[in-house]
Amino acid sequence: MKRILFSAVGSTDPIANQHDGAILHIARHWKPDEIYLYYSREMLELEQKDDRYCYCLKKLEEKIGKEFRIHKIIRPDLTAVHVFDYFLNEFRVELEKIPSAEECELLLNVSSGTPAMKSALQVIGGVLNRPATRIQVVTPEHGYNKMREDVKGDYDVVTQWECNLDNEQGCANRCIVSSDKNLLAEINKKIIEKQIANYDYTAALTVAEDIRSFLSPGVICLLEASAARMKLDLNAARRHLADAEKCRAHAAAAEESATVEKSGKCRDGIGYRMFPHEAGDEIELFEYLLQLQIKLRREEYIDFIRGITPLFFELLERIILKKTDIALGDYYRVKQGVNGTMFKLWDIEKVRRNAVINDILTDGGTREIKGGPVGSRHLTDILERKCSDSGLNNLVSQVRGVERDIRNTAAHCITYMTEEVIKDVTHRTPEQIFVLLKNLAKYSGIDITDEDLNSYDICNERIKNLL
């Protein structure tokens, strides 16, 4: 992996008291490929005087067999080196100019320069939108510098290098890595947790993209899968879920041999089954039911009410097929819609062959039959006439009552919808209406458990564990 070191130049660089200054010591032990040196006016004058910083880095190159590509950032007019706010902005701008790549490690020297410079780099390293390793270098005495040579006076850089005790074999590594926690990433992870708790995966993805480098493999893919699932784009959700599995498996492969060696156990990838129901059309119906549950939890009541009809209709058709001898598909024709959806229209000639359906559509022969859309009202009447299950018929009647009393207002009028309004009109709370739909789904043959209904929350816990 390519390493890039960014460092201010300080008065104890390159060598002081017969030991490496921070720049030289980090370069010695971390062996960066590129080094960005930031010069104030005072440090630039010293460099121009005897080339001390670059000279020692070149000598170190020869000693350790590692070439450094050196970039100089010079500020010949910078004399106010004590102003923290200035460097907070200045260093951020300069660091953003450094090319960023996935296979690149950024090192920050937080031990060279003025206190303002060092503090600014320490803070910036914790809020960058890319990983940065902040490195401190302790003094040989593991305390403050008790004696400081006159770097502006008679400083013989050649002698300093030759007398540098850190050039000796087995000299201690005095580099210390600061906490690897990135404050910006940690804050954004908390934001992501709040967003997924509200099932807003699109917003969570926007935040996650900004801190991609700090996230575990597969998190982005799992968020993408959840966002697609919320849109009922189940094929896309499956693709992203497969990508998440591959990401985790690839990351685990790098550690698996060590894990097996230590514990005798292999790691899994995501190991997560997103969809509790995948058989036939169950997946679409159950996922749609979960959508209504989320609308309910987010108090999006008008969308909740609008969404009842499509689910109610599909469940009724399944129940009629299961509970009666009528195969509804024999009496309607389909018209292709968007995304492979189908509009079901009564076929007049076929309807006339079935006395029950014909009687329902003609209101007992009092009006002309028309080949209009198949509606939940029709299916409710068919079920009532052909099914003797009073419990089921009562359930269907209750849902149909909700649909009749309030759905058209929600679907066709510009209005608001609250829990109180729903209760006043339907004499049921939104939660009670959802229970009716859940029970109807069970009648249709979908075996729903409490764990199934918590599917999104289980997914959220998986994402949180991966953050």
Side-chain angles (χ1 to χ4, degrees):
M1 177 183 289
K2 182 178 182 181
R3 282 178 169 171
I4 297 177
L5 170 64
F6 181 93
S7 175
V9 177
S11 58
T12 57
D13 294 310
I15 299 169
N17 303 326
Q18 293 185 282
H19 284 281
D20 290 342
I23 295 174
L24 202 62
H25 203 67
I26 294 171
R28 182 186 301 275
H29 292 283
W30 285 76
K31 301 177 175 58
D33 300 281
E34 299 185 35
I35 301 175
Y36 286 76
L37 297 177
Y38 184 92
Y39 295 86
S40 65
R41 177 177 178 174
E42 183 179 9
M43 298 300 104
L44 179 61
E45 289 173 351
L46 295 178
E47 176 77 321
Q48 292 171 337
K49 176 182 177 181
D50 52 26
D51 194 34
R52 62 182 66 179
Y53 309 109
C54 289
Y55 171 84
C56 287
L57 285 170
K58 291 184 185 301
K59 296 298 289 184
L60 182 61
E61 284 181 332
E62 297 171 6
K63 182 170 184 62
I64 66 176
K66 172 67 179 180
E67 184 177 349
F68 309 125
R69 183 183 176 190
I70 299 174
H71 308 265
K72 292 185 178 182
I73 304 171
I74 59 174
R75 297 291 183 265
D77 299 323
L78 177 58
T79 57
V81 293
H82 59 285
V83 182
F84 170 78
D85 289 348
Y86 171 81
F87 292 111
L88 201 59
N89 180 67
E90 170 79 347
F91 286 162
R92 178 187 289 276
V93 171
E94 291 303 319
L95 287 169
E96 287 176 350
K97 293 178 184 178
I98 298 175
S100 176
E102 289 187 7
E103 297 300 320
C104 178
E105 183 179 11
L106 179 62
L107 312 177
L108 302 180
N109 174 9
V110 295
S111 287
S112 287
T114 64
M117 294 176 179
K118 292 183 281 190
S119 298
L121 273 181
Q122 186 72 264
V123 170
I124 292 170
V127 295
L128 277 178
N129 60 359
R130 61 188 286 191
T133 302
R134 291 162 286 176
I135 305 173
Q136 295 175 287
V137 179
V138 300
T139 65
E141 298 83 10
H142 290 265
Y144 64 89
N145 286 307
K146 296 179 181 179
M147 180 187 72
R148 200 150 129 194
E149 300 173 60
D150 183 8
V151 294
K152 291 185 178 181
D154 187 19
Y155 188 90
D156 185 344
V157 65
V158 175
T159 302
Q160 289 283 349
W161 172 259
E162 291 175 350
C163 296
N164 183 3
L165 297 177
D166 281 315
N167 284 327
E168 296 179 0
Q169 189 75 21
C171 192
N173 180 353
R174 294 180 280 114
C175 295
I176 298 176
V177 177
S178 298
S179 169
D180 62 353
K181 282 191 177 293
N182 181 283
L183 298 180
L184 179 63
E186 294 304 309
I187 291 170
N188 281 338
K189 286 178 183 180
K190 293 299 181 184
I191 293 173
I192 291 171
E193 287 184 9
K194 289 183 177 295
Q195 288 168 333
I196 64 175
N198 197 40
Y199 313 105
D200 192 347
Y201 301 102
T202 300
L205 260 174
T206 301
V207 176
E209 286 288 357
D210 291 337
I211 58 168
R212 180 185 282 265
S213 300
F214 301 96
L215 297 177
S216 301
V219 170
I220 297 289
C221 295
L222 197 51
L223 284 171
E224 288 172 333
S226 300
R229 185 188 190 189
M230 277 291 294
K231 299 171 187 174
L232 293 178
D233 189 351
L234 304 182
N235 288 332
R238 289 189 186 97
R239 289 196 301 271
H240 291 306
L241 195 61
D243 290 340
E245 183 69 38
K246 290 176 184 176
C247 288
R248 291 289 295 171
H250 178 74
E255 305 175 26
E256 185 172 316
S257 58
T259 304
V260 172
E261 184 176 334
K262 290 180 180 179
S263 65
K265 298 179 181 178
C266 293
R267 298 189 179 189
D268 295 327
I270 288 291
Y272 171 60
R273 181 169 171 258
M274 175 172 279
F275 304 109
H277 295 269
E278 297 194 68
D281 62 349
E282 277 192 21
I283 183 171
E284 292 182 353
L285 296 176
F286 179 74
E287 289 298 316
Y288 192 92
L289 180 67
L290 289 184
Q291 289 284 303
L292 294 185
Q293 179 178 244
I294 289 172
K295 298 293 184 188
L296 192 61
R297 289 178 177 177
R298 292 168 65 162
E299 299 185 9
E300 296 172 357
Y301 295 123
I302 200 159
D303 287 337
F304 171 71
I305 294 298
R306 286 170 180 162
I308 290 174
T309 294
L311 179 64
F312 184 40
F313 179 88
E314 296 294 337
L315 292 177
L316 284 175
E317 187 168 6
R318 278 175 62 97
I319 292 170
I320 288 172
L321 185 63
K322 184 178 180 181
K323 296 284 188 176
T324 76
D325 58 357
I326 294 178
L328 283 174
D330 293 341
Y331 301 100
Y332 60 67
R333 55 190 175 84
V334 296
K335 181 180 178 182
Q336 196 74 22
V338 178
N339 290 337
T341 55
M342 294 182 295
F343 293 101
K344 297 169 183 178
L345 306 171
W346 290 116
D347 188 312
I348 297 175
E349 294 303 320
K350 293 179 179 178
V351 163
R352 285 178 177 146
R353 300 172 194 164
N354 187 294
V356 173
I357 299 177
N358 185 74
D359 190 56
I360 289 171
L361 295 183
T362 61
D363 287 334
T366 61
R367 66 184 179 86
E368 189 70 23
I369 188 171
K370 294 182 180 180
V374 181
S376 56
R377 176 177 65 85
H378 305 137
L379 303 190
T380 301
D381 289 345
I382 291 172
L383 195 60
E384 185 178 348
R385 294 197 190 188
K386 298 292 290 183
C387 179
S388 60
D389 187 332
S390 59
L392 171 59
N393 285 329
N394 180 55
L395 178 59
V396 169
S397 177
Q398 291 183 69
V399 178
R400 173 63 186 144
V402 170
E403 182 187 42
R404 181 186 60 245
D405 294 341
I406 201 170
R407 186 264 174 189
N408 283 343
T409 300
H412 301 294
C413 299
I414 298 176
T415 186
Y416 70 94
M417 196 67 62
T418 65
E419 183 174 1
E420 291 73 22
V421 170
I422 294 172
K423 190 173 181 179
D424 287 344
V425 175
T426 68
H427 308 293
R428 294 175 180 83
T429 65
E431 289 77 11
Q432 289 171 334
I433 295 171
F434 179 79
V435 171
L436 294 177
L437 292 169
K438 178 186 71 173
N439 292 337
L440 197 63
K442 290 182 178 180
Y443 264 108
S444 78
I446 304 175
D447 185 18
I448 299 173
T449 67
D450 289 340
E451 184 178 0
D452 294 342
L453 291 173
N454 288 325
S455 177
Y456 272 90
D457 297 317
I458 293 170
C459 177
N460 290 347
E461 285 300 313
R462 183 58 58 99
I463 294 172
K464 287 169 63 176
N465 290 338
L466 291 174
L467 285 175

